[in-house]
């Protein structure tokens, strides 16, 4: 899929690229920092992350980071990342993380992006998608539910993942539509 796009006619997902850095820095706000990024982005940090994402695409690595593009011009509206390996994931599971820039929120774009990303993950062989949501982030939980994910509680144990509510979606039916 390197260089390719996924679209439902309203949003388009394509791999993050170097010319997305400026738009990401301009769109980042306190909600993205709090719920997704873990800290305010710097030019150097975002450039390094995008290079890492490009390397992951080139190597078919476990991270697939998409830009969520919207509008007639395909403006970068946010990101959706798939991680095919990581803490708390069983074989066949993929973690989905997403965020929109403030001016694009409230239009259903995150839900559309998550659905497209789930279809991509299914086509790549994932059997179940997982969204981990901080219990204090009801907007993210609402996106998960609208995208067909169901609550599964918190994972057992005393790990970093155990503080998040988990939402899951069976991807086996998505394989036939991918």
């Amino acid at each position: 899929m390197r260089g390719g796009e996924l679209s439902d006619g309203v949003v388009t997902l394509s791999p993050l690229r170097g010319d997305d850095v400026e738009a990401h820095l301009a769109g980042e706000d306190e909600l993205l920092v709090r719920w997704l990024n873990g800290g305010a982005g710097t030019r150097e940090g975002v450039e390094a992350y995008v290079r890492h994402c490009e390397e992951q695409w080139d190597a078919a690595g476990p991270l697939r980071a998409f830009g969520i593009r919207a509008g007639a011009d395909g403006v970068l509206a946010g990101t959706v990342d798939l991680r095919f390996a990581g803490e708390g994931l069983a074989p066949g599971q993929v973690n989905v993380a997403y965020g929109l820039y403030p001016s694009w929120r409230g239009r259903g774009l995150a839900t559309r992006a998550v659905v497209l990303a789930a279809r991509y993950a299914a086509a790549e062989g994932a059997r179940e998608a997982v969204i981990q949501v901080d219990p204090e982030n009801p907007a993210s939980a609402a996106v998960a539910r609208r995208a067909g994910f169901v609550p599964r509680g918190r994972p057992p144990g005393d790990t970093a993942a155990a503080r998040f509510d988990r939402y899951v979606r069976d991807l086996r039916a998505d394989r036939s539509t991918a």
Side-chain angles (χ1 to χ4, degrees), residues 52-142:
H52 174 69
C53 294
E54 291 172 331
E55 291 166 1
Q56 288 288 294
W57 277 106
D58 289 341
L63 170 63
R64 311 290 166 82
F66 294 95
I68 301 170
R69 302 179 197 286
D73 299 335
V75 174
L76 186 68
T79 63
V80 60
D81 299 350
L82 298 175
R83 292 188 187 267
F84 288 86
E87 180 185 349
L89 293 177
Q93 289 184 322
V94 60
N95 188 76
V96 182
Y98 46 87
L100 289 176
Y101 307 132
S103 63
W104 295 99
R105 292 182 188 136
R107 302 181 195 188
L109 301 180
T111 301
R112 289 174 170 277
V114 168
V115 168
L116 284 171
R119 288 184 185 149
Y120 172 83
E124 291 294 303
R127 293 186 310 270
E128 188 172 66
V130 177
I131 295 175
Q132 300 180 73
V133 178
D134 187 302
E136 294 181 18
N137 188 351
S140 187

